[in-house]
Amino acid sequence: MIGYYNYTVILTYLSLVSSVIGMFLAVGCGGNPSHPEYAIICLMVSGLCDMFDGKVARTKKDRTDSEKKFGIQIDSLCDAVCFGVLPAIIGYSVGMNDWGDLPILVIFPLCAVIRLAYFNVAEEERQKKTSENRKVYEGLPVTSVALILPLLYSFHKDIGSEWFPTVYGGALLLIAIAFITRFKVKKPSMKTMLGFIGVGVVELVWMLYKTKMS
């Protein structure tokens, strides 16, 4: 079979599966209504998987160069779907369905793909020069949407159905610009990543609470 099949890519594949499910939940399927709130949860699950897939992969000490390159490529391809396409589909499901919204819904995944492709090239060049782990990122990592957008969505009832699509679209545009803007972001430590998980749990509880109260 084509590809590399071992435990190092399981979390990456689970991240993609979660996002594809989120897409169906966002638009509704089989006559079921749209559920963007569940799609947001799928986005958070994808973010959680992506947070640890690299660390899991590095536990396999005998990875070949081909396996390492495959890991980089498959991670970015899945990230393009999870954190580029899914947020745009969620935007459509919350009301960004006019022609005027189309440019943002196109620009967002495009900027995500540009950033991920640039990261692949830069990472391959970096690994030729050093075996040390990356210390900083250039631009806003695409996985950041797994924290930013759930927090924003948790206030959709407060913002109101009339204005929320505009606010969500504005957020997508700003995030897209940050994806391809050249600035340094320190790679989070394990302690910081655990803090992100804590923030994500709080966001999830808050979002479920707000949904139940509405």
Side-chain angles (χ1 to χ4, degrees):
M1 295 177 67
I2 292 175
Y4 297 92
Y5 301 91
N6 52 59
Y7 74 89
T8 64
V9 292
I10 290 177
L11 285 179
T12 303
Y13 292 158
L14 289 177
S15 176
L16 179 67
V17 169
S18 177
S19 286
V20 172
I21 292 173
M23 292 177 192
F24 284 106
L25 291 171
V27 299
C29 60
N32 295 315
S34 170
H35 286 288
E37 68 277 14
Y38 298 151
I40 286 286
I41 293 174
C42 288
L43 176 64
M44 298 175 74
V45 171
S46 293
L48 180 63
C49 292
D50 186 82
M51 191 175 291
F52 293 102
D53 60 359
K55 293 188 178 298
V56 170
R58 285 190 289 272
T59 63
K60 192 173 188 296
K61 302 302 183 182
D62 58 344
R63 281 194 302 165
T64 65
D65 287 340
S66 294
E67 286 177 323
K68 291 178 181 178
K69 290 179 180 179
F70 178 82
I72 293 173
Q73 297 297 329
I74 201 68
D75 182 65
S76 290
L77 289 170
C78 291
D79 284 356
V81 176
C82 300
F83 311 114
V85 179
L86 177 57
I89 292 179
I90 291 173
Y92 180 86
S93 72
V94 299
M96 293 182 64
N97 45 32
D98 293 329
W99 283 106
D101 298 317
L102 184 59
I104 295 177
L105 296 179
V106 171
I107 288 172
F108 184 85
L110 176 60
C111 288
V113 168
I114 291 172
R115 176 191 158 69
L116 289 166
Y118 177 81
F119 172 82
N120 280 4
V121 174
E123 181 65 12
E124 187 171 341
E125 292 296 321
R126 188 190 69 83
Q127 289 189 6
K128 290 179 181 178
K129 299 176 182 178
T130 178
S131 60
E132 294 182 0
N133 292 333
R134 177 179 288 275
K135 303 297 182 182
V136 296
Y137 294 117
E138 284 189 279
L140 184 68
V142 296
T143 52
S144 62
V145 301
L147 284 177
I148 297 172
L149 295 182
L151 178 61
L152 176 62
Y153 185 81
S154 68
F155 291 99
H156 75 284
K157 291 293 184 181
D158 302 289
I159 297 172
S161 58
E162 181 180 355
W163 288 103
F164 185 72
T166 302
V167 174
Y168 187 92
L172 288 188
L173 183 59
L174 290 175
I175 294 170
I177 294 172
F179 282 162
I180 57 175
T181 300
R182 194 180 296 277
F183 62 91
K184 301 291 185 180
V185 177
K186 185 178 179 181
K187 185 177 180 179
S189 63
M190 177 57 70
K191 184 177 180 180
T192 303
M193 291 172 67
L194 293 175
F196 286 158
I197 294 175
V199 171
V201 171
V202 172
E203 286 184 356
L204 177 59
V205 172
W206 174 249
M207 186 177 68
L208 293 176
Y209 169 77
K210 296 287 285 186
T211 301
K212 182 179 180 181
M213 291 298 293
S214 61

